[in-house]
């Protein structure tokens, strides 16, 4: 067997292993699915290249073309997810899947139509694919370079640099196969390109924790072992049935189905275990969020009750302790409002009434325990004469408390917390700004997702809660953040017809 064949098989095994690791993270990371599809496409291309050398026939060449076409959309999808632009450029991403999906389907149609096969193998078709791919590849390089320049953290810069290196090797060396198809006398180094680009992606995924700490070396060894068994099985089938094309197709198809079945069973087992853990974690996080909202009124009730109990034990009269009884009643009512708040949030039914945003801000900030963070400096920049909003005081107060708490937690070594209000033509703007750690691009994109958190003890409900509350009021939430430079969350609320004096 030639060196090129060994390179193709090695790349095929490595890519299948990386695809298995990525499949484990599907649903947990937006990069899991595109990376899995990209690795499967490139693995198919390497296998088709190996099969073309050993068995010949135009069918393998068409399969290789189909795999090449289907590698472009997931590559773009992965880059967009990595730099945090997946949602903003979703139209470009889905259009790429549609266009290249149609071209890949055309390649498969060529398996049963010699006329279509000749068209797919033509230089005109290759030039068209190059014309469509070039802007997407250049855009991907540009996004990664832009991400590299704006990220201050060394780990993220190392991830980006390795991905740029891997993508450059992949595109450059795969390009030699395209140039050869166009009739130029150059060595075909596509298999070597996938083999050399693979370690960069593997290092980013495993050593630099691209998918988080849950992706262990045990998963990597299992995936690699499974892929090696698959490649060895393919090799055995080609040696035994080299001259019998029908048996060769049946054998490779059976091995592929078996690999998919084993992988599917492993992923399902892992996913089922993970879902059970997530259900328990979700219940725990929700309980933690509710416990936090109930903690302050319960503490006030306890303190007032203990004081009155002590006064009673000393035989003192309660005649002058009316304010404590009022406090007890007030906190009981507050507990009732907290329970009602969660019920209204679940039904997305805020109780709207004219609301002074400045009064809301002042009330919430006055209840914050800044004693535990004396190094945090609080600034209030509240515009005068704001129009009243149609809002639910309890829901909006809880949302603002979440934002303030997040800002304090983002500044463990101190900083400045600024709460601003201002009027706009369509409503009132409330923003909470901190000078804390900030978020990277991927965290920013998922910040408002339910139960998404980067904190070991976080509930993942804070910003999701804020988003639901504001949207229930007919408003919208925006977030801007940069690592090392802080975060700003801005709420835009519609105004009511009356103004607060």
């Amino acid at each position: 067997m030639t060196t090129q064949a060994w390179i193709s098989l090695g790349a095929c095994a490595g890519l299948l292993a990386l695809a298995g690791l990525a499949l484990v993270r599907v649903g947990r990371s937006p990069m899991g699915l595109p990376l899995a599809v990209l690795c499967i496409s490139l693995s198919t291309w390497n296998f088709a290249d190996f099969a073309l050398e050993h068995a010949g026939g135009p069918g393998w060449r068409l399969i290789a073309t189909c795999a090449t076409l289907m590698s472009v959309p997931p590559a773009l999808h992965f880059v967009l997810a990595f730099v945090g632009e997946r949602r903003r450029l979703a139209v470009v991403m889905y259009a790429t899947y549609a266009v290249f999906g149609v071209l890949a389907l055309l390649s498969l149609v060529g398996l049963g139509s010699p006329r279509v096969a000749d068209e797919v193998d033509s230089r005109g078709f290759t030039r068209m694919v190059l014309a469509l791919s070039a802007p997407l590849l250049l855009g991907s390089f540009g996004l990664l370079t832009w991400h590299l320049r704006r990220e201050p953290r060394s780990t993220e810069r190392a991830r980006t640099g390795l991905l740029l290196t891997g993508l450059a090797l992949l595109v450059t060396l795969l390009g030699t196969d395209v140039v050869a198809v166009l009739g130029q006398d150059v060595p075909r180094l596509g298999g070597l390109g996938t083999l050399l680009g693979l370690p960069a992606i593997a290092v980013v995924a495993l050593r630099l924790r691209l998918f988080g700490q849950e992706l262990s070396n045990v998963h990597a060894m299992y995936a690699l072992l499974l892929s090696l068994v698959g490649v060895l099985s393919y090799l055995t089938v080609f040696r035994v049935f080299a001259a019998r094309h029908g048996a060769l197709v049946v054998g490779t198809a059976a091995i592929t189905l078996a690999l998919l079945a084993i992988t599917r069973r492993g992923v399902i087992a892992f996913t089922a275990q993970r879902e059970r853990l997530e259900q328990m974690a979700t219940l725990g996080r929700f309980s933690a969020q509710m416990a936090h909202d109930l903690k302050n009124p319960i503490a006030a009730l306890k303190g007032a009750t203990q004081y009155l109990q002590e006064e009673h034990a000393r035989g003192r009269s309660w005649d002058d302790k009316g304010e404590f009884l009022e406090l007890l009643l007030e906190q009981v009512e507050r507990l009732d409002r907290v329970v009602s708040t969660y019920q209204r949030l679940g039904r997305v039914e805020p109780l709207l009434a004219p609301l002074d945003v400045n009064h809301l801000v002042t009330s919430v900030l006055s209840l914050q325990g800044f004693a535990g963070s004396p190094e945090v400096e609080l600034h209030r920049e509240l515009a005068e004469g704001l129009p009243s909003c149609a809002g639910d005081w309890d829901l909006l107060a809880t949302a603002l408390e979440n934002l303030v708490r997040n800002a304090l937690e983002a500044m463990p070594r101190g900083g400045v917390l600024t709460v601003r209000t201002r009027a706009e033509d369509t409503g009132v703007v409330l923003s909470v700004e901190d000078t804390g750690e900030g978020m990277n691009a991927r965290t920013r994109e998922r910040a408002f997702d339910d139960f998404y958190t980067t904190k070991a003890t976080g509930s993942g409900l804070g910003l999701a809660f804020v988003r639901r509350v504001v949207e229930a009021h007919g408003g919208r939430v925006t977030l801007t953040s940069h690592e090392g430079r802080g975060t700003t969350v801005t709420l835009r609320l519609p105004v009511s017809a009356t103004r607060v004096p």
Side-chain angles (χ1 to χ4, degrees):
M1 202 165 57
T2 64
T3 302
Q4 178 65 29
W6 282 114
I7 290 175
S8 296
L9 284 177
C12 184
L15 288 164
L16 285 176
L18 191 55
L21 291 174
L23 284 172
V24 173
R25 300 301 297 161
V26 171
R28 295 278 294 180
S29 170
M31 294 173 288
L33 180 60
L35 182 58
V37 175
L38 175 62
C39 290
I40 291 172
S41 298
L42 293 176
S43 176
T44 303
W45 181 88
N46 277 281
F47 180 74
D49 187 60
F50 165 80
L52 183 62
E53 181 178 346
H54 277 70
W60 293 114
R61 186 166 57 252
L62 290 171
I63 292 175
T65 301
C66 176
T68 302
L69 291 167
M70 284 310 301
S71 66
V72 176
L76 176 65
H77 186 172
F78 177 78
V79 171
L80 292 178
F82 179 80
V83 301
E85 298 292 335
R86 177 174 54 95
R87 291 176 179 169
R88 191 169 69 87
L89 298 178
V91 174
V92 177
M93 182 182 73
Y94 290 128
T96 303
Y97 271 108
V99 171
F100 281 85
V102 170
L103 294 177
L105 182 61
L106 185 65
S107 301
L108 293 179
V109 171
L111 293 173
S113 172
R115 181 179 177 182
V116 174
D118 291 340
E119 185 66 28
V120 171
D121 287 334
S122 67
R123 295 183 181 180
F125 185 85
T126 302
R127 291 191 181 97
M128 179 186 66
V129 172
L130 281 176
L132 292 172
S133 304
L136 300 174
L137 293 174
L138 290 175
S140 298
F141 277 112
L143 286 172
L144 287 172
T145 303
W146 169 67
H147 185 71
L148 178 64
R149 290 179 176 178
R150 70 173 180 168
E151 291 295 334
R153 298 193 178 182
S154 58
T155 301
E156 186 67 12
R157 291 175 63 85
R159 290 187 186 120
T160 310
L162 282 171
L163 287 178
L164 271 170
T165 302
L167 184 60
L169 286 171
L170 186 63
V171 171
T172 301
L173 297 182
L174 274 176
T176 60
D177 288 61
V178 177
V179 173
V181 171
L182 292 175
Q184 301 297 318
D185 186 16
V186 295
R188 301 174 67 116
L189 303 175
L192 182 62
T194 56
L195 187 62
L196 294 178
L198 177 64
I201 302 177
V203 169
V204 171
L206 294 174
R207 302 301 300 175
L208 296 181
R209 306 290 187 182
L210 179 64
F211 296 118
Q213 297 181 352
E214 300 88 345
L215 204 59
S216 66
N217 292 332
V218 175
H219 294 125
M221 293 301 298
Y222 176 80
L224 183 59
L225 179 62
L226 183 61
S227 64
L228 287 175
V229 170
V231 170
L232 291 175
S233 300
Y234 284 133
L235 186 59
T236 301
V237 168
F238 267 84
R239 285 188 177 276
V240 174
F241 301 109
R244 299 167 61 185
H245 292 286
L248 190 61
V249 171
V250 172
T252 54
I255 293 172
T256 302
L257 291 174
L259 287 175
L260 289 175
I262 295 172
T263 303
R264 180 178 179 273
R265 183 171 182 177
V267 170
I268 288 175
F270 179 82
T271 302
Q273 180 183 11
R274 187 181 67 195
E275 286 179 350
R276 286 193 296 269
L277 294 175
E278 284 183 349
Q279 289 173 355
M280 297 301 297
T282 298
L283 180 60
R285 290 169 179 172
F286 189 82
S287 300
Q289 179 72 27
M290 179 173 284
H292 177 272
D293 292 337
L294 296 175
K295 184 177 181 180
N296 288 340
I298 290 175
L301 282 171
K302 182 179 179 181
T305 303
Q306 287 176 338
Y307 178 80
L308 293 175
Q309 185 181 34
E310 184 178 347
E311 291 293 294
H312 178 70
R314 294 179 179 180
R316 296 175 182 176
S317 173
W318 286 6
D319 292 342
D320 60 343
K321 301 300 186 294
E323 67 273 14
F324 284 91
L325 296 176
E326 292 177 0
L327 176 62
L328 290 174
L329 180 59
E330 178 184 337
Q331 296 306 313
V332 169
E333 291 175 348
R334 185 179 177 188
L335 288 173
D336 183 66
R337 288 199 305 270
V338 169
V339 175
S340 298
T341 294
Y342 276 91
Q343 291 176 337
R344 293 203 305 275
L345 181 63
R347 297 191 299 264
V348 194
E349 294 178 355
L351 299 178
L352 300 180
L355 180 145
D356 184 347
V357 174
N358 284 345
H359 185 200
L360 175 72
V361 171
T362 303
S363 176
V364 169
L365 295 184
S366 66
L367 297 175
Q368 296 303 313
F370 289 103
S373 302
E375 61 277 12
V376 175
E377 184 178 350
L378 175 63
H379 290 174
R380 306 182 192 185
E381 299 179 7
L382 308 181
E384 297 181 357
L386 289 180
S388 65
C389 291
D392 185 310
W393 176 282
D394 293 319
L395 285 176
L396 291 173
T398 304
L400 182 56
E401 286 174 357
N402 279 322
L403 294 180
V404 172
R405 185 173 67 252
N406 286 346
L408 292 173
E409 292 174 352
M411 299 182 288
R413 292 179 295 275
V416 179
L417 170 61
T418 305
V419 181
R420 297 186 177 91
T421 61
R422 70 175 189 274
E424 282 189 349
D425 294 338
T426 57
V428 174
V429 178
L430 168 62
S431 64
V432 178
E433 177 183 347
D434 66 67
T435 58
E437 300 173 349
M439 306 177 186
N440 62 34
R442 293 181 295 280
T443 302
R444 282 197 305 271
E445 190 175 38
R446 302 188 64 194
F448 291 106
D449 290 354
D450 290 328
F451 303 113
Y452 175 74
T453 180
T454 58
K455 305 170 189 175
T457 58
S459 68
L461 291 169
L463 288 177
F465 182 98
V466 173
R467 176 182 58 83
R468 291 196 64 187
V469 167
V470 175
E471 290 179 353
H473 284 77
R476 58 191 179 92
V477 185
T478 57
L479 180 146
T480 57
S481 183
H482 300 281
E483 281 192 295
R485 289 185 286 173
T487 300
T488 301
V489 180
T490 303
L491 318 182
R492 286 178 168 81
L493 301 170
V495 298
S496 60
T498 60
R499 296 178 69 90
V500 176

